[in-house]
Amino acid sequence: MPDSRLDDTEDNDMTIPTGSANSAIPDLPPQIFNPARLAAVQSTGLLDTESEEAFDALTRLAAQLTGAGRAFVTVVDERRSFWKSCIGTPDLPLQHRQNLVHESPCHILVATDQPLISADARHDPRLRHVPAVTQLGIGAWAGFPVHDRDGHVIGGLCVVDDTARAWTQQHVQTLHTLTAAVSSEIKLRQALARTREQAEQLRAVGHTNAALARAVHDSLLPAALAPIEGLQTAALYLPAPDDDVATGFYDVFRARGARWAAVIGHAAADGVPAVQAATAAQHTIRAHGLDEISPSNVLRNLNRALLHQPARRATLSAAYATIKADVTEVSGLLCTAGHAAALLHHPDGSIDTLHRPVPALGLQADPTLPYTKFDLHPGDTLLLHTNDHTTPEAPDPTTAVDALLCTALNRSPRTDATSTIAHLHQILSEHRETLGSNAIAVIAIHRPT
C-alpha cells in the first residue's frame, strides 16, 4: 500500500528543500531537483488529478501485453511519485495514489533517463534497497522514462509483478512503444496549453484565431509535397475562420513499386481528440499505404483504428488515391469517405466528379468503401479536396466547394500544379465567408502536356 505519511499533507509537511535534499536523503539523485524539470512537471497539470482514460488505456495495454499484474503512469516531483494511472490496484482515493520519491523506483528513471528492466527487484542491486520493493511487494519491475516536449523526464511508465519473472524482448519493445504514446499525450497537452496562452495574447493585440490555427496546424502538414515522377503536385490549406485547433491534413508519399499515394482528410471532433485523430490518421495511412494497393483497404484500416480509440472517438473525412505513373500512362484508384471529394479536370474544360456518397470514417464497423478507377492524360489535373460544410441551398456537403472549384478551374491558367493551386487559393479566399466555418484543403496533381 502507499506510504501512510502521504495520507495527510497538512499534518505532515513532506516538502524537501532543494538546497538540502541530498544531505537529508543521501540516496536521492540531484536530477530530481533540477528546476527546469520541476517546472516541466508542474506545467503538465497532472499532479493531484483524477485518473483519465487517455492514460488508463495505455497502462491497461501495458499490463495486458506484458502479462504484468500491475501497471502505472507516474509523475515525479521533488517529494513524491504520483500515480496518474494505476491498473491492477484496488480503487484508491486520490491522496493514496502516491509514495515518497526516494521510496519509488521511478526516481532512478529520472536520474538515468534510461529504461530499468529487472526480473527480480528483491535481489537486484539497483532496486533491492528501494523501500517500495518491500512496501508494494515488487517481484519483477520494468520501467521507462516519460518525457515532456522539451525532453525532461517527468515520470515513468512501469509494470510490476508480485514475483520474479523474466521480461522478453517483445515486452520491452511493447513498453517502449506505449511509453512513447504516454509522452506524446503529455507533449500534445503542453502544446495545446501553450497554444491557448498564445491565443489570449493574440486576442489582446487584435489578431484572429485563424493565424493561430495556421501556426498550430503546421506540424500536421508537410512543408512541401513529395514530387511524383512525371507529375506535378501542390496543395493548399484554408483554415476555418474561427479554428483554434486545425484538424485537416494531406500528404503525398511513395508506395509499393512504381505507385504513389495521395491523401487528404479532415477530423471532426473537439480539441485534443480531433488533433489525435488527424495525427493517428496520417501514421495509419502511411503504415498501410506503403504496401497496400487498394485505397479501399487503406481507408478500411483507418476506420478500424478510429473505432478502437478508447474514449477518443472522432469521425474523419478522407480521400485516398494510389497512382501508378510510367513513361506513357498514368492511372490510379481513388476511394473517398465523408465529405471528401475529387475532381478530374481535362484540358478541354470538362470536369469529372469522382466523389461517391460514403459516410465518414469512424461511424460504422464495416463500411462499404468502393473505389473508382481514373486515368491522367496529358494536361489533366486531379483535385482532392475536403470540406465539412452544408447549407440549405447545398445539402450535398461537396456541392458548394465543388461548384466554386469547377468555376475556378476553368478560369485558371492551368500551366502547372503550383499556378493552379495559387489561383484556387485566391478564389477560395475571396469566397471564404460563403463557404461556412470549416477548413478547406486541396491537393492538385497535374500531368504536364
Side-chain angles (χ1 to χ4, degrees), residues 29 75 79 93 102 108 207 211 222 240 250 283 298 302 313 318 361 416:
V75 183
R79 69 185 185 93
H102 70 281
I108 302 175
H207 288 287
Y250 55 75
H283 294 303
V298 173
L302 175 56
R313 183 168 296 181
L361 303 176
D416 54 55

Side-chain angles (χ1 to χ4, degrees), residues 286-427:
R286 278 245 178 189
H288 293 283
L290 291 175
D291 294 315
E292 179 60 65
I293 296 175
S294 168
S296 301
N297 289 342
V298 173
L299 293 191
R300 196 169 287 115
N301 285 318
L302 175 56
N303 184 69
R304 277 193 213 100
L306 290 171
L307 292 175
H308 283 83
Q309 287 187 341
R312 293 270 172 169
R313 183 168 296 181
T315 60
L316 189 137
S317 300
Y320 181 84
T322 58
I323 299 169
K324 184 178 181 181
D326 57 34
V327 176
T328 60
E329 183 181 10
V330 178
S331 60
L333 305 175
L334 170 75
C335 184
T336 63
H339 302 153
L343 302 173
L344 186 56
H345 185 222
H346 304 292
D348 63 2
S350 62
I351 298 175
D352 297 327
T353 300
L354 305 182
H355 170 71
R356 293 195 181 189
V358 175
L361 303 176
L363 293 174
Q364 302 175 6
D366 189 20
T368 300
L369 295 168
Y371 64 77
T372 301
K373 295 181 180 180
F374 65 90
D375 293 305
L376 273 183
H377 300 290
D380 283 351
T381 300
L382 175 69
L383 283 189
L384 307 181
H385 74 83
T386 181
N387 167 254
D388 282 3
H389 177 56
T390 59
T391 65
E393 296 78 20
D396 178 353
T398 65
T399 300
V401 177
D402 274 354
L404 189 57
L405 286 175
C406 288
T407 301
L409 279 173
N410 282 323
R411 295 177 181 174
S412 71
R414 299 196 305 274
T415 56
D416 54 55
T418 301
S419 60
T420 297
I421 282 294
H423 179 74
L424 296 181
H425 190 279
Q426 177 186 347
I427 299 300

Side-chain angles (χ1 to χ4, degrees), residues 116-379:
L116 199 164
I117 312 297
S118 178
D120 188 354
R122 296 183 180 93
H123 297 92
D124 191 322
R126 301 169 298 174
L127 290 171
R128 63 190 179 194
H129 300 302
V130 177
V133 172
T134 301
Q135 293 173 354
L136 301 181
I138 298 175
W141 196 88
F144 279 72
V146 169
H147 299 87
D148 80 330
R149 63 179 296 168
D150 296 319
H152 299 295
V153 181
I154 62 170
L157 170 68
C158 61
V159 290
V160 178
D161 253 346
D162 297 340
T163 58
R165 56 162 287 185
W167 305 104
T168 67
Q169 185 59 38
Q170 183 63 40
H171 293 155
V172 172
Q173 183 59 44
T174 295
L175 292 174
H176 173 77
T177 301
L178 293 176
T179 302
V182 173
S183 296
S184 295
E185 174 72 20
I186 291 171
K187 293 173 186 176
L188 181 59
R189 292 180 180 213
Q190 289 178 314
L192 290 177
R194 293 184 187 184
T195 296
R196 294 188 187 101
E197 293 175 2
Q198 292 171 350
E200 292 301 323
Q201 295 171 358
L202 289 176
R203 292 188 190 101
V205 296
H207 288 287
T208 64
N209 286 343
L212 179 60
R214 250 177 246 111
V216 175
H217 195 246
D218 283 348
S219 61
L220 284 178
L221 303 179
L225 291 180
I228 302 177
E229 297 169 4
L231 303 176
Q232 300 169 351
T233 60
L236 70 85
Y237 186 84
L238 203 61
D242 57 352
D243 251 355
D244 59 346
V245 179
T247 55
F249 64 93
Y250 55 75
D251 199 6
V252 172
F253 58 93
R254 183 184 283 277
R256 188 170 65 182
R259 288 180 173 83
W260 289 78
V263 62
I264 196 164
H266 179 91
D270 296 321
V272 174
V275 175
Q276 286 184 321
T279 305
Q282 286 179 296
H283 294 303
T284 301
I285 287 171
R286 278 245 178 189
H288 293 283
L290 291 175
D291 294 315
E292 179 60 65
I293 296 175
S294 168
S296 301
N297 289 342
V298 173
L299 293 191
R300 196 169 287 115
N301 285 318
L302 175 56
N303 184 69
R304 277 193 213 100
L306 290 171
L307 292 175
H308 283 83
Q309 287 187 341
R312 293 270 172 169
R313 183 168 296 181
T315 60
L316 189 137
S317 300
Y320 181 84
T322 58
I323 299 169
K324 184 178 181 181
D326 57 34
V327 176
T328 60
E329 183 181 10
V330 178
S331 60
L333 305 175
L334 170 75
C335 184
T336 63
H339 302 153
L343 302 173
L344 186 56
H345 185 222
H346 304 292
D348 63 2
S350 62
I351 298 175
D352 297 327
T353 300
L354 305 182
H355 170 71
R356 293 195 181 189
V358 175
L361 303 176
L363 293 174
Q364 302 175 6
D366 189 20
T368 300
L369 295 168
Y371 64 77
T372 301
K373 295 181 180 180
F374 65 90
D375 293 305
L376 273 183
H377 300 290

Side-chain angles (χ1 to χ4, degrees), residues 5-10 12-18 25 28 32-33 37-38 42 47-48 75-82 98-104:
R5 288 174 290 172
L6 279 174
D7 291 353
D8 189 347
T9 56
E10 293 184 359
N12 298 279
D13 184 6
M14 305 306 297
T15 303
I16 304 170
T18 58
I25 304 175
L28 209 57
I32 291 289
F33 304 100
R37 192 194 76 82
L38 292 177
Q42 293 296 327
L47 289 171
D48 301 311
V75 183
V76 180
D77 64 7
E78 73 273 28
R79 69 185 185 93
R80 43 54 188 283
S81 176
F82 173 71
Q98 54 191 334
N99 55 352
L100 291 170
V101 64
H102 70 281
E103 296 179 345
S104 167

